[in-house]
Every structure is written in C-alpha cells, then in structure tokens.
Amino acid sequence: MTVGIISREDYRKRTIAIAKGEYKPRKNEPKVWFESITSMAQVLNSDNQELLRTIIHNKPCSISDLEKMTSRKKSNLSRTLKTLEKYGIVDLKREGGKVVPEVKATDFNVQFGLHYSHPVNGENTLAV
C-alpha cells in the first residue's frame, strides 16, 4: 500500500484542484493520506503492527476472539481496528452477529514531498 504525507491545507488544495478538474491524480499516487509522519507513526506503531501480525497468523473469528489472543480490551481493539479500517489497512467483515477483522495491507511505501498541494501553470502537476 502506498501512503502519502501531506498537510491538511495542502490536502484541501489538492482536493479542490481535483474537483475543479485542474488536476488529475496519477495512477501511482497514494490513495491513503496522513497529515504528518507523526500521525502515520501513531497508526502504524509497533503495537498495531503486532496486532496485524496476530490477525494474520491466528485468523480470529471475532473481535472477542482477538481480545483473548491479545489481552487488549475490546473497546480499545474496536477503536484501533476502526482507525486501521479507515486507512484501508484492515477490513471489518460482519458475519452473523460478529465482526471479523481481516488484514488488507502488510507492506507500506511512503511518499511525501512539496509537490502535492496545487497545480502549477495549469499543468497536471502539483507544486507548492
């Protein structure tokens, strides 16, 4: 999964440029964006990486199952998994009355730079 780092203001400018048709994202550009390296590190911290490994290797049948495997409280797991789902890292499938976590992304490429904010001179490129 390719993720990008871009400030909130630059993300807003980029989104507006896309909506106006002034910029068309390239196929290799990130689909998932973080506001900072710090925010990315919070989501992909070592505890969450270990959680992802546990899901991959043990294939829990529910969040309750995962709670037993990790000794993390269900409320904490639910909040963490919803955040990981928001970024496309996990999928939370509803099966019967249970929520089953499934890891969707295991490898991450990070892109960041100053060229993601707004189009320059009407070109289909972005620059600050």
Side-chain angles (χ1 to χ4, degrees):
M1 168 184 278
T2 300
V3 299
I5 309 292
I6 191 171
S7 72
R8 184 173 297 207
E9 178 61 21
D10 286 345
Y11 184 79
R12 187 184 71 72
K13 289 177 186 175
R14 181 180 184 277
T15 302
I16 290 169
I18 291 168
K20 288 181 175 180
E22 295 169 352
Y23 178 71
K24 183 176 180 186
R26 296 175 304 228
K27 289 182 182 181
N28 64 340
E29 283 187 16
K31 305 285 186 278
V32 175
W33 295 92
F34 290 93
E35 188 173 337
S36 66
I37 292 173
T38 302
S39 64
M40 181 188 69
Q42 289 170 338
V43 172
L44 296 173
N45 66 38
S46 57
D47 289 340
N48 290 347
Q49 289 177 45
E50 186 57 36
L51 178 64
L52 295 172
R53 282 187 205 93
T54 299
I55 294 168
I56 291 167
H57 296 298
N58 298 311
K59 299 180 181 15
C61 298
S62 67
I63 293 179
S64 295
D65 238 7
L66 187 58
E67 179 183 25
K68 293 171 189 163
M69 294 173 187
T70 62
S71 300
R72 288 173 69 169
K73 292 186 178 183
K74 192 173 182 178
S75 60
N76 173 280
L77 281 173
S78 292
R79 187 173 44 256
T80 299
L81 290 169
K82 285 178 185 173
T83 299
L84 293 170
E85 181 182 44
K86 173 180 135 183
Y87 287 104
I89 298 168
V90 300
D91 188 24
L92 299 176
K93 295 184 177 184
R94 276 106 183 122
E95 295 180 5
K98 299 177 182 180
V99 176
V100 181
E102 180 182 314
V103 176
K104 303 305 281 180
T106 57
D107 298 299
F108 302 89
N109 297 308
V110 181
Q111 291 184 5
F112 62 98
L114 301 177
H115 61 281
Y116 286 117
S117 64
H118 60 278
V120 175
N121 300 327
E123 297 175 13
N124 195 24
T125 59
L126 292 175
V128 179

